[in-house]
Amino acid sequence: MRTLVVAEHDNSNLAEATSRMVAAAIRLGSEVDVLVAGNGCANAAGEVSAFHGVDRVLVAEDPSLEHRLAEPLADLVFWLAVGYGAILAPATSFGKNVLPRVAALLDVMQISDVIEIVDASTFRRPIYAGNAIETVRSDESKKLLTVRPTAFPPAKSGGAARIEQVEIPDLASPTTFVRLDAASSDRPELGSARIVVSGGRALGSREEFERLILPLADKLGAAVGASRAAVDSGFVSNDCQVGQTGKIVAPELYFACGISGAIQHLAGMKDSRVIVAINKDEDAPIFAVADFGLVGDLFELLPELTQKL
Amino acid sequence: MKLLVAVKRVVDYNVKVRVKPDGSGIDLQNVKMSMNPFDEIALEEAIRMKERGQATEVVVVSVGPKQAQETLRAALAMGADRAILVPTEERTEPLGVAKVLKVIAEREGADLILLGKQAIDDDSNQTGQMLAALMLCGQACFASAINVGDGKLEVTREIDGGLETLELPLPAVVTVDLRLNEPRYASLPNIMKAKSKPLSEISPDDIGVDLHPRLAVVRVSEPPARTGGRMVSSVDELLAALRDEAGVLKGA
């Protein structure tokens, strides 16, 4: 039985998470195919074919697949599922939307947010926002897995997979796409950035957040994150929230500036390789997880840091 | 429009959970339990739709232990009209719950089924999507705005990198995200009134759904502990540490 990866892309570009899904799929030990479903997605398919370890790239192009709506895409994956022992998608808003729908069509219980593949039937995943790790075994005929991208390395390059067009069933969707309001930013995407600079409520206002956090992030080429408190206070938009109910990040370097370190925030960033905490309260829980802690006034320290970089 | 809202009884989100020493699960003894916060948001939205005259009835349903009655009473106190408990002592999984919800939604003739995007205990984020698949209807997950039209909905979803807006015909399944609304607190008179609102029980056997879990939990363990590092006393010392010790900053 082969393994199928459902690629995430926007027709022209492949999401970085897809590369990491390939790395995870290889660990299952079977031959790996990648489905690139969209409309005018030859570029994305080309990128996938260069990943080491991919046997076939299955391209499905149809107007109904242009916006990656869950309904037609799930029908397509269901239709292709014969012959696959495992189907993987990234645990991103894309994969979380689509894969459970496929699982229910197949009458299979999915395993969400896998962070470790123990063997082809046994997986580890965080529960309670990462406050516990569950090891689960699936005896289902197919394993349906959403996989946390940051838990696996990017796929190696140097592959030359065959690209095949697949036959497409009739795909009807009750749901129609209306519009996408993309959060425009020149900064790296929060979920995949090498460095993240996050600010908390201690910054006090949107103006101060922008004055202190953004220049530091720009100097470092970093993505901008925030605690839930900072988002709720309106300092920064929702999609910047790092934490249990926001984005889970695991960059090489994470700066927590004026963030106390509530459980809910720690759940979103504690797998970062190096954590720096800057806070005026030396008893803040963030210091318990930080590799380097600096106690002091943000309004002095952040400009100094930005200037000395 | 008739609304069905699914709610789950979970460990309160402020509780720091503890893993049982024998690795068999989470210690739930004497732990405060509450309605899953995302489900609370789903319920709030349903109640607001009824208050705006867009919905005729709000029915809440929970699949879980007998004590989930308390969760349903809390939902009635917030403003739901009627509650249904599907009692089970099994560890519930999204697929089984979705199957139960499908039967209830069909029996009730629900036009819109609202759920939280995920439960904060198992963090599965599957039930709504599975329910929509089983009902062969449209889904809109991670909603941050819902506009009710004539026989249809316009839903804005929070996705990575922006906001996506979809249009769905009814019946439909919508799972809600954090920023859709802020749930109300139940007032004392409403808590009293909730005691006399109807709460019925339907056994999984009556529905013909097998809730026996499909996945085996081998072990539940503590996450690898992250030990704190050390304090530095200045920006210069921090930069030196990041460059020389941690190797995460280049040159400069």
Side-chain angles (χ1 to χ4, degrees), chain B residues 33 59 86 88 138 154 188 194 221 234 240-241 248:
Chain B
M33 306 293 282
V59 179
V86 180
T88 176
E154 197 178 77
L188 190 58
S221 46
S234 70
V248 283

Side-chain angles (χ1 to χ4, degrees), chain A residues 71 93 96-97 101 107 112 125 128-129 133 135 137 140 176 178-179 181 238 241 270 272 290-291 293, chain B residues 99 121-124 126 129 137 139 160-161 163 165 167 169 179 214 216 218-219 221 226 229-230 232:
Chain A
E71 297 86 346
S93 60
K96 290 173 184 174
N97 189 35
R101 191 167 176 112
D107 194 28
S112 293
R125 58 180 300 266
Y128 289 92
I133 306 295
T135 305
R137 195 185 69 243
E140 301 273 34
T176 50
V178 178
R179 67 174 177 277
D181 302 305
N238 295 341
Q241 187 192 324
K270 66 183 167 56
S272 305
D291 297 280
Chain B
K99 288 177 180 178
D121 50 4
D122 63 23
D123 286 330
S124 285
Q126 299 177 13
Q129 296 89 315
C137 71
Q139 70 182 54
D160 296 333
L163 295 172
T165 304
E167 190 180 286
R179 281 165 279 269
R214 301 273 195 94
V218 179
R219 188 171 61 253
S221 46
R226 185 167 187 123
R230 62 183 175 87
V232 293

Side-chain angles (χ1 to χ4, degrees), chain B:
Chain B
M1 189 167 70
K2 190 163 171 179
L3 308 180
L4 185 68
V5 182
V7 299
K8 185 176 186 184
R9 177 180 186 264
V10 299
V11 171
D12 186 88
Y13 77 103
N14 280 317
V15 171
K16 172 103 177 76
V17 296
R18 275 174 221 292
V19 174
K20 286 187 199 164
D22 66 359
S24 64
I26 297 293
D27 190 355
L28 297 178
Q29 290 269 321
N30 303 317
V31 167
K32 185 183 177 203
M33 306 293 282
S34 300
M35 189 187 304
N36 178 41
F38 290 104
D39 301 345
E40 222 172 358
I41 295 168
L43 177 59
E44 173 67 31
E45 196 68 13
I47 295 165
R48 289 185 191 185
M49 285 178 188
K50 191 181 172 203
E51 288 169 346
R52 287 194 294 257
Q54 295 166 329
T56 50
E57 192 183 19
V58 178
V59 179
V60 280
V61 56
S62 191
V63 182
K66 286 274 178 195
Q67 297 92 319
Q69 281 186 1
E70 296 161 19
T71 314
L72 290 168
R73 286 285 171 213
L76 294 169
M78 271 177 72
D81 298 301
R82 194 153 60 75
I84 301 168
L85 174 65
V86 180
T88 176
E89 293 304 320
E90 297 275 15
R91 177 171 55 81
T92 53
E93 286 181 343
L95 185 59
V97 172
K99 288 177 180 178
V100 168
L101 294 177
K102 172 185 189 268
V103 175
I104 306 242
E106 284 170 356
R107 282 190 189 177
E108 293 286 339
D111 300 293
L112 172 59
I113 302 97
L114 289 158
L115 308 87
K117 72 165 180 180
Q118 74 190 68
I120 61 164
D121 50 4
D122 63 23
D123 286 330
S124 285
N125 196 330
Q126 299 177 13
T127 307
Q129 296 89 315
M130 288 181 156
L131 173 61
L134 298 174
M135 292 180 67
L136 301 172
C137 71
Q139 70 182 54
C141 297
F142 330 135
S144 61
I146 306 174
N147 289 306
V148 180
D150 187 17
K152 62 184 185 189
L153 301 172
E154 197 178 77
V155 180
T156 301
R157 320 169 46 221
E158 292 197 14
I159 62 169
D160 296 333
L163 295 172
E164 181 186 72
T165 304
L166 303 175
E167 190 180 286
L168 301 87
L170 298 174
V173 175
V174 175
T175 77
V176 309
D177 215 324
L178 199 65
R179 281 165 279 269
L180 180 62
N181 61 47
E182 255 186 66
R184 70 194 65 192
Y185 290 99
S187 67
L188 190 58
N190 285 342
I191 291 171
M192 299 311 289
K193 241 193 281 178
K195 293 184 179 170
S196 55
K197 286 185 178 176
L199 192 164
S200 57
E201 280 193 21
I202 303 176
S203 93
D205 293 340
D206 285 348
I207 298 178
V209 173
D210 177 11
L211 283 172
H212 190 70
R214 301 273 195 94
L215 303 177
V217 175
V218 179
R219 188 171 61 253
V220 174
S221 46
E222 296 274 357
R226 185 167 187 123
T227 47
R230 62 183 175 87
M231 303 306 282
V232 293
S233 57
S234 70
V235 166
D236 291 323
E237 192 185 339
L238 173 63
L239 286 171
L242 291 176
R243 261 195 306 266
D244 307 332
E245 262 176 70
V248 283
L249 282 185
K250 297 178 199 83

Side-chain angles (χ1 to χ4, degrees), chain A:
Chain A
M1 297 286 265
R2 309 169 70 91
T3 298
L4 182 68
V5 169
V6 183
E8 176 174 352
H9 63 88
D10 65 359
N11 291 314
S12 20
N13 296 303
L14 202 61
E16 211 242 351
T18 306
S19 155
R20 296 167 185 266
M21 292 308 103
V22 169
I26 290 169
R27 304 210 41 180
L28 292 171
S30 304
E31 293 208 277
V32 177
D33 293 345
V34 179
L35 170 66
V36 180
N39 200 22
C41 51
N43 270 355
E47 276 187 65
V48 174
S49 73
F51 291 151
H52 176 76
V54 176
D55 189 42
R56 295 186 301 171
V57 183
L58 309 179
V59 179
E61 296 193 277
D62 191 77
S64 69
L65 297 168
E66 179 160 1
H67 300 290
R68 298 162 301 284
L69 294 174
E71 297 86 346
L73 185 49
D75 284 353
L76 174 68
V77 178
F78 173 67
W79 157 268
L80 293 171
V82 179
Y84 290 101
I87 303 176
L88 277 65
T92 56
S93 60
F94 163 78
K96 290 173 184 174
N97 189 35
V98 174
L99 205 68
R101 191 167 176 112
V102 179
L105 294 174
L106 291 166
D107 194 28
V108 165
M109 183 50 210
Q110 175 188 301
I111 301 174
S112 293
D113 209 8
V114 170
I115 55 168
E116 189 183 337
I117 294 169
V118 180
D119 59 45
S121 306
T122 315
F123 310 93
R124 290 208 176 94
R125 58 180 300 266
I127 55 173
Y128 289 92
N131 287 301
I133 306 295
E134 184 181 62
T135 305
V136 281
R137 195 185 69 243
S138 167
D139 297 320
E140 301 273 34
S141 57
K142 294 182 194 300
K143 320 300 179 203
L144 269 80
L145 314 172
T146 61
V147 176
R148 182 177 289 195
T150 53
F152 292 86
K156 296 192 180 77
S157 57
R162 279 174 293 156
I163 299 181
E164 298 176 11
Q165 299 286 328
V166 295
E167 191 190 333
I168 298 173
D170 186 23
L171 298 173
S173 176
T175 304
T176 50
F177 173 84
V178 178
R179 67 174 177 277
L180 174 67
D181 302 305
S184 60
S185 169
D186 298 334
R187 297 192 182 84
E189 208 265 312
L190 184 55
S192 56
R194 200 181 75 83
I195 304 177
V196 173
V197 178
S198 285
R201 183 162 34 199
L203 288 153
S205 70
R206 173 177 274 269
E207 291 68 35
E208 292 298 312
F209 191 99
E210 289 175 357
R211 187 175 72 84
L212 296 172
I213 297 294
L214 303 192
L216 177 57
D218 288 340
K219 200 91 178 251
L220 288 161
V224 172
S227 67
R228 181 173 168 183
V231 169
D232 285 349
S233 305
F235 298 175
V236 66
S237 65
N238 295 341
D239 54 332
C240 291
Q241 187 192 324
V242 172
Q244 176 176 8
T245 52
K247 291 216 168 63
I248 311 280
V249 301
E252 284 283 296
L253 177 57
Y254 187 92
F255 283 87
C257 310
I259 291 176
S260 63
I263 298 172
Q264 111 88 29
H265 185 77
L266 299 183
M269 46 65 81
K270 66 183 167 56
D271 293 328
S272 305
R273 190 164 83 77
V274 175
I275 296 173
V276 173
I278 305 176
N279 203 306
K280 70 172 186 314
D281 173 13
E282 61 186 296
D283 297 321
I286 191 76
F287 289 121
V289 300
D291 297 280
F292 303 107
L294 180 55
V295 176
D297 182 357
L298 290 177
F299 300 93
E300 288 171 16
L301 293 173
L302 292 180
E304 183 187 350
L305 181 58
T306 305
Q307 189 241 318
K308 286 182 172 166
L309 272 165

